[in-house]
Amino acid sequence: MAYYWYQSDPQLYQLEVTAMRKYFPSFSINQLQDGSGRLYWRGKVQPAGKGGMVWDIMLIYKNTHPHAEEGEYGGSVQILPLSPRLKDIAQKTMPLMEKAYGSYENAAAHGFGLGLPHIYRSNFGRDEEYFICTADPKYFKAGQNRSTTAASALSWACKWILLCEMWLNGEIDDDVALEGNY
């Protein structure tokens, strides 16, 4: 019996690889060297186009892929920006959010509890990192006629990045940054 999802469901693995190579051909797939057996894609995106930031991104499959735990953020694929690092951006924006909303509690109540909209924190190795919350698990799909989870998650992450950059540049206000269905 195979332990990892990509061993027990090689067809799903092949669908994942096919979709990523079709939609994000610059990304490459590897295995984490932490003994977990988890696979990840890594590559760079520039959703805002020329003049926008280049984001170095890891898409990390959870061992439960393609299933997500109930109430789990982002589904079974975690989106971890390596550069720029969300934790660094959030630490700069959090004081601004506290000032704008009068307190940490008010900022959190408005969706800015970590300083940026639609992010969550989780342990990654020995460090706590901030991940992009891309979508409700019901949006993650697998099948021959649909996007697979890594490609879907990265598409949603690109939307989040574009809105985040616009928000950081003052081009959109807090309400617009928060209302997107990631």
Side-chain angles (χ1 to χ4, degrees), residues 21-134:
R21 289 197 174 136
K22 178 177 181 179
Y23 296 108
F24 299 98
S26 66
F27 276 69
S28 59
I29 192 165
N30 296 287
Q31 187 175 55
L32 291 176
Q33 298 301 307
D34 63 356
S36 69
R38 291 180 296 169
L39 297 180
Y40 70 93
W41 292 91
R42 184 170 179 183
K44 294 181 180 182
V45 293
Q46 192 175 15
K50 189 175 180 178
M53 294 191 296
V54 176
W55 293 69
D56 185 1
I57 305 274
M58 282 180 75
L59 296 89
I60 307 160
Y61 291 101
K62 294 181 180 177
N63 281 333
T64 59
H65 181 71
H67 309 288
E69 302 287 325
E70 190 170 329
E72 195 171 39
Y73 294 104
S76 63
V77 178
Q78 294 179 287
I79 308 293
L80 176 62
L82 300 173
S83 177
R85 193 168 167 238
L86 288 183
K87 192 172 186 177
D88 295 339
I89 297 171
Q91 287 173 342
K92 291 176 184 173
T93 59
M94 193 65 230
L96 301 173
M97 294 294 93
E98 289 174 348
K99 184 177 180 182
Y101 290 100
S103 69
Y104 169 79
E105 291 76 18
N106 286 338
H110 284 86
F112 295 97
L114 293 175
L116 292 169
H118 300 284
I119 65 171
Y120 68 97
R121 61 179 160 214
S122 183
N123 288 332
F124 183 67
R126 295 181 178 171
D127 299 318
E128 179 183 75
E129 289 293 345
Y130 288 20
F131 295 81
I132 298 172
C133 182
T134 52

